[in-house]
Amino acid sequence: MQRAWLARGLGEPGGKLPLFVGDGRKIDPRTVKACLDKGWCEPWYANPLKPDWLVCKLTPDGRRLFEAS
């Protein structure tokens, strides 16, 4: 799940990662935390409408995961 979520940021401006999966469910916070802990993504900005939602973007290390593939 982590790799699939990170891959969705590859084509987005600034590497922005989605908040939701394709069927409209919110990304599991455990996925986000695991990727943050590994340095593959980082917080991007605070969402003023939903302060409890963590908006993230890919880091250079996160992008490198896909260069090796």
Side-chain angles (χ1 to χ4, degrees):
M1 181 63 187
Q2 295 168 5
R3 189 171 174 87
W5 178 61
L6 292 167
R8 292 182 60 198
L10 291 172
E12 294 297 320
K16 181 184 178 290
L17 293 163
L19 297 173
F20 300 93
V21 293
D23 65 4
R25 289 177 293 131
K26 192 172 178 199
I27 296 292
D28 189 326
R30 293 174 297 182
T31 297
V32 177
K33 180 169 178 5
C35 292
L36 284 166
D37 290 347
K38 293 175 182 169
W40 296 338
C41 70
E42 63 188 2
W44 193 357
Y45 62 87
N47 184 336
L49 299 177
K50 296 284 187 178
D52 57 322
W53 289 3
L54 185 57
V55 179
C56 293
K57 65 179 180 175
L58 283 171
T59 62
D61 284 345
R63 288 184 183 279
R64 275 191 284 279
L65 289 173
F66 298 95
E67 292 172 2
S69 306

